[in-house]
Amino acid sequence: MSRHWVDIAAVGFFVIEWLVYALTLEHSAYGRDSLSARMNRYREVWVRRMLDRDTRMVDMQIMASLQNGTAFFASTSLFALGGALALLHATNDAITILSKLPVDLSTSPAMWELKCVGLVLICVYAFFKFAWAYRLFNYVAILFGGMPAADQRDTPAAEAHVIRTSRLFESAGRHFNRGQRAFFFALGYLGWFVSPWVLFVTTAAVVVVTWRRQFASSAWMAMAAEVDADQGMKRGH
């Protein structure tokens, strides 16, 4: 146990960073200004504007593209799961190859299998998130089909339907984001196959990259409310 303390610390750091990042993004005041949160506001905007038009073929086409993208990631997670299981099955071959490399990457069969099991669990988690997101997008499509007509947009029933659809839409997007996050952290997890010290670095790199995309990217700045105001003023001039 004592000689594996670096591995334990690295995996603990990986898990804690994933949990802290996810909780901060989804359950904190700071996370309510993320790119995902800003996009959630436009999900409701989209649903409300559907009430202004009776012909909604374009809306259903956009929804179909979201479903197809989610199905693609769900299929990809199954392929990744198959690759992880193949690594687990080829433990002896992998250790033999590692022992012949010029860099010392040797490990015990038990440690290699433990690493592979962790990768399998991440892929399984990602698949379940993408599969559930796909199911939720199907439900949203059904609610789109049940959207009240344009001449009923000011009724209490229409308002309730908008709120219901928007909340389900946000839930679908949240689970899709969790699946993608699992993919990103799986890339960082691969660093453990090289060294626990590399896992520290790759985990930190994943957190920095994903944080920047959510809070400091050009996409995040483009979705800022003040950008819309500035553009409106320019159009006025």
Side-chain angles (χ1 to χ4, degrees):
M1 178 69 70
S2 60
R3 68 191 186 96
H4 292 305
W5 70 268
V6 179
D7 293 279
I8 297 173
V11 174
F13 177 75
F14 174 83
V15 173
I16 291 173
E17 285 295 299
W18 189 344
L19 290 176
V20 170
Y21 179 82
L23 291 174
T24 302
L25 189 65
E26 297 182 4
H27 302 287
S28 71
Y30 182 74
R32 285 195 287 270
D33 193 39
S34 66
L35 177 60
S36 296
R38 291 181 177 185
M39 289 306 303
N40 278 339
R41 302 185 191 110
Y42 281 90
R43 297 179 194 271
E44 183 174 347
V45 170
W46 178 11
V47 175
R48 289 190 178 279
R49 288 181 177 174
M50 285 183 63
L51 288 173
D52 296 329
R53 49 183 178 267
D54 284 320
T55 304
R56 295 156 182 168
M57 294 178 60
V58 174
D59 301 293
M60 299 307 295
Q61 288 176 347
I62 298 173
M63 177 54 63
S65 69
L66 293 176
Q67 290 174 301
N68 291 336
T70 307
F72 168 79
F73 277 103
S75 301
T76 303
S77 63
L78 286 179
F79 285 119
L81 176 59
L85 291 174
L87 283 176
L88 180 61
H89 181 70
T91 298
N92 294 329
D93 294 336
I95 292 177
T96 301
I97 294 173
L98 291 176
S99 64
K100 296 180 179 180
L101 294 177
V103 181
D104 184 15
L105 300 179
S106 59
T107 183
S108 65
M111 180 60 69
W112 177 267
E113 292 176 355
L114 182 62
K115 295 174 181 179
C116 291
V117 168
L119 187 59
V120 167
L121 292 177
I122 295 174
C123 293
V124 169
Y125 173 83
F127 170 74
F128 273 102
K129 286 302 176 182
F130 286 128
W132 182 234
Y134 181 79
R135 187 68 172 174
L136 291 178
F137 280 128
N138 282 342
Y139 293 155
V140 173
I142 294 173
L143 292 179
F144 274 17
M147 188 70 63
D151 58 0
Q152 300 176 4
R153 61 180 176 273
D154 296 325
T155 62
E159 177 65 21
H161 195 85
V162 166
I163 297 300
R164 185 183 305 113
T165 305
S166 299
R167 289 178 178 175
L168 191 61
F169 208 171
E170 291 177 8
S171 180
R174 182 164 55 251
H175 284 279
F176 180 82
N177 290 338
R178 289 173 180 174
Q180 277 201 326
R181 192 181 308 137
F183 270 15
F184 294 147
F185 275 89
L187 295 177
Y189 181 87
L190 293 177
W192 192 21
F193 285 86
V194 179
S195 165
W197 299 108
V198 175
L199 179 59
F200 280 112
V201 176
T202 54
T203 299
V206 168
V207 172
V208 170
V209 171
T210 53
W211 173 88
R212 185 185 178 281
R213 290 180 176 179
Q214 286 288 343
F215 297 100
S217 63
S218 57
W220 176 80
M221 290 184 285
M223 295 304 300
E226 58 270 17
V227 172
D228 294 336
D230 291 342
Q231 290 179 347
M233 292 178 63
K234 292 179 180 178
R235 292 192 189 100
H237 292 297

